[in-house]
Amino acid sequence: MTTSRASELVPVLEQEIVTGELKPGTRLDETLLAERFGVSRTPVREALTHLAAAGLVVIRPRRGAIVATISIRDLMNMFEVMANLEGVCARLAARRITPEERPALKAAFEACDALVGTDRYDDYYEGNLTLHNLIYQASHNAYLEKQTRELRRRLSPHRRLQVRIPGRLIKSSEEHGAIVRAILDGNSDLAERLTRDHVTIQGERFTDFLSTLPPHYVQASA
């Protein structure tokens, strides 16, 4: 029950931090948060620990938690590493995907693609997460999968915002389709390149990404 309640708090606090409603340096008092959400301090503490693992909160011994300062440079560095990790996952998946895994990957793509043209952004994001997780699994490299998932978790609040950029769902689904085809065709070089490009933020996508960030991110990078 405690873990369940904590999981309900995490997306709310994530959103408030990423959008700047809770600014860097803001103290996150466990007692006040418990009162606000009508829970005990235990699920609040679990939620803050989760946010700390995602780099959104800093927990200071004997002084409590505060909202972390995240610079654009830090974000871009993480996305750069993420793109390469996911690219390797896709390369290995193209070589190692099993007959049993192939239908699930295709079905995950089709489920995402069916949401294009709707405003079901959160549903698309969850479907997108399922698709990428299946690619990680198909790499059949447990260490790589673990590292990729951990960094993905740190970037999830920002990737969730990306799907709300106008026109991004259509483009994202087109990219997913090409990636899935490359994996199912066993084209490892193409699968890696397409996946890396899919995750990398550059050019117009960089400008679009900046538009989703509140002003304090820009200030923190100066």
Side-chain angles (χ1 to χ4, degrees):
M1 177 65 72
T2 300
T3 300
S4 175
R5 295 308 300 273
S7 67
E8 294 173 2
L9 307 186
V10 168
V12 176
L13 294 172
E14 270 185 356
Q15 181 75 5
E16 292 179 357
I17 291 171
V18 172
T19 59
E21 187 174 341
L22 289 172
K23 294 180 170 50
T26 300
R27 183 168 180 268
L28 300 170
D29 184 273
E30 290 183 8
T31 301
L32 293 178
L33 288 173
E35 291 175 357
R36 172 188 170 188
F37 291 107
V39 298
S40 69
R41 291 176 62 182
T42 300
V44 170
R45 193 173 299 117
E46 288 184 15
L48 293 178
T49 299
H50 178 95
L51 294 170
L56 296 176
V57 165
V58 175
I59 298 178
R60 306 164 301 173
R62 296 182 297 279
R63 290 191 297 167
I66 62 171
V67 177
T69 297
I70 306 174
S71 72
I72 292 175
R73 177 175 295 177
D74 289 339
L75 280 178
M76 298 310 296
N77 286 342
M78 284 191 284
F79 269 104
E80 184 175 51
V81 174
M82 188 79 229
N84 283 282
L85 286 175
E86 294 215 29
V88 176
C89 285
R91 165 178 281 278
L92 293 178
R95 291 165 44 188
R96 299 175 178 176
I97 191 168
T98 67
E100 295 76 19
E101 292 169 330
R102 296 170 72 88
L105 182 63
K106 184 178 179 182
F109 162 67
E110 291 173 347
C112 273
D113 192 56
L115 295 173
V116 173
T118 74
D119 60 356
R120 294 167 59 187
Y121 302 110
D122 289 337
D123 290 338
Y124 183 90
Y125 177 78
E126 293 303 323
N128 171 72
L129 189 60
T130 297
L131 174 62
H132 282 264
N133 281 337
L134 288 172
I135 294 173
Y136 307 160
Q137 293 169 16
S139 74
H140 294 279
N141 183 315
Y143 183 79
L144 174 63
E145 181 180 350
K146 180 176 182 290
Q147 298 303 311
T148 307
R149 285 180 185 274
E150 288 181 356
L151 185 52
R152 172 82 187 218
R153 187 162 52 249
R154 293 197 65 179
L155 288 171
S156 64
H158 305 284
R159 295 183 76 160
R160 188 183 293 274
L161 286 178
Q162 281 184 286
V163 302
R164 293 179 177 272
I165 296 172
R168 180 56 194 157
L169 288 194
I170 296 175
K171 184 63 176 173
S172 174
S173 190
E174 290 174 351
E175 292 168 1
H176 282 162
I179 290 167
V180 168
R181 284 192 296 274
I183 291 173
L184 296 180
D185 288 345
N187 192 333
S188 57
D189 289 341
L190 181 60
E192 179 176 16
R193 178 174 60 80
L194 290 175
T195 303
R196 192 170 57 242
D197 291 346
H198 174 65
V199 178
T200 299
I201 298 177
Q202 58 187 2
E204 290 184 358
R205 285 187 61 193
F206 177 70
T207 304
D208 291 339
F209 178 67
L210 289 185
S211 73
T212 70
L213 299 178
H216 71 265
Y217 277 81
V218 178
Q219 294 164 4
S221 67

